[in-house]
Amino acid sequence: MEGQQSMVLWIMFAAGMMFSVLLIMAWIFIKRTAYLSPVKRELKKEKQWLRRGEYNAAMVKGRQNLELLFKVVAANNGIRLDNTAAAQANARSVQERNHGCRGRAGRNRVMTHQQFGWWMEENGYLDRVAKWEMNQVRLIGNKAVHENFISKEDAWNQYNYMEDLLKIVSDRHTNRHRQRGPEIKKSQTGHHGAGVKKPSGTQAKARGQQN
């Protein structure tokens, strides 16, 4: 009888220790990704606009949310973004002096959005599918701004791409980042969201959001 009681106590103790470890891991993850909270809040606003049928406004918001994601990730790594014409010209001249090499990016650096995209790729934030999704967010958002474009399908797809990008950045802090999906061929990288073939997983998620 006493042996059974001891076994029960040991099981309860082990379960308690496991639960404590899980809580600590969850707390560490939340602390490390707290800087992404502004992006999560703005994504919720974008989703509200989608549900109200304000597709053009949502697509413009999606483009802004991508820039916000860039900004907070950069700030968290001690990098300031400057996308002015002067900064872009300086980046091109540096690349020319380095014979086309991008150069390594350290902390306390000033970078253009293009340079920071390279930095995110080189530091494990983006894989080939994520780069494709990031480009689609830009293209759909630009089309909404400059052409007053309205599309329910593209608006939801853009939102799903942004959710996916945010998840990839969050996952990097738990060392779960890995390459996903098939290689994106040049024939698939068009200039408009609706005419571009999407990875099957994202396409399925888009249908779920619209239902």
Side-chain angles (χ1 to χ4, degrees):
M1 188 69 179
E2 291 182 359
Q4 291 179 344
Q5 290 178 342
S6 298
M7 181 64 70
V8 170
L9 289 174
W10 273 109
I11 292 173
M12 291 177 63
F13 175 76
M17 289 295 293
M18 183 64 70
F19 182 70
S20 298
V21 169
L22 290 174
L23 281 179
I24 292 171
M25 291 175 63
W27 178 81
I28 291 173
F29 175 76
I30 292 172
K31 185 177 180 181
R32 287 181 176 178
T33 59
Y35 73 96
L36 297 171
S37 296
V39 184
K40 295 176 182 178
R41 285 197 300 269
E42 296 306 312
L43 271 176
K44 287 181 181 179
K45 294 179 183 179
E46 182 182 345
K47 192 171 187 178
Q48 291 173 356
W49 292 353
L50 286 168
R51 287 175 170 171
R52 292 198 299 262
E54 299 176 22
Y55 300 120
N56 179 267
M59 288 187 285
V60 174
K61 183 68 172 174
R63 180 67 171 83
Q64 294 170 349
N65 286 340
L66 178 63
E67 293 177 355
L68 178 60
L69 178 62
F70 270 25
K71 182 179 179 180
V72 297
V73 174
N76 189 61
N77 287 278
I79 298 168
R80 183 171 64 85
L81 299 182
D82 183 355
N83 216 44
T84 61
Q88 293 182 43
N90 181 63
R92 284 193 296 270
S93 65
V94 170
Q95 191 171 359
E96 289 172 359
R97 288 198 302 270
N98 292 334
H99 305 288
C101 296
R102 299 171 181 175
R104 291 193 173 273
R107 295 183 69 86
N108 302 316
R109 282 281 304 274
V110 178
M111 293 187 225
T112 65
H113 286 180
Q114 184 183 39
Q115 287 175 316
F116 187 63
W118 293 336
W119 182 92
M120 290 182 73
E121 178 185 352
E122 292 166 357
N123 286 272
Y125 284 93
L126 301 176
D127 59 21
R128 60 182 181 273
V129 178
K131 287 186 290 183
W132 181 85
E133 291 174 329
M134 183 176 66
N135 191 48
Q136 291 307 303
V137 172
R138 282 198 184 108
L139 292 175
I140 293 171
N142 289 342
K143 194 174 180 183
V145 171
H146 301 297
E147 302 178 24
N148 199 29
F149 178 64
I150 299 175
S151 168
K152 178 180 179 180
E153 179 186 1
D154 279 14
W156 275 107
N157 284 341
Q158 185 199 45
Y159 172 81
N160 288 329
Y161 298 151
M162 272 302 305
E163 267 201 330
D164 201 23
L165 289 168
L166 181 61
K167 184 177 185 299
I168 292 167
V169 173
S170 297
D171 285 354
R172 185 182 182 278
H173 296 283
T174 56
N175 296 321
R176 289 191 287 118
H177 179 77
R178 60 185 184 275
Q179 288 192 337
R180 308 156 297 136
E183 182 178 0
I184 304 302
K185 299 178 181 178
K186 290 183 179 180
S187 60
Q188 292 176 298
T189 55
H191 295 286
H192 304 296
V196 178
K197 184 178 180 181
K198 301 178 291 297
S200 58
T202 306
Q203 190 174 25
K205 188 165 68 170
R207 287 198 298 268
Q209 291 284 0
Q210 294 177 36
N211 292 335

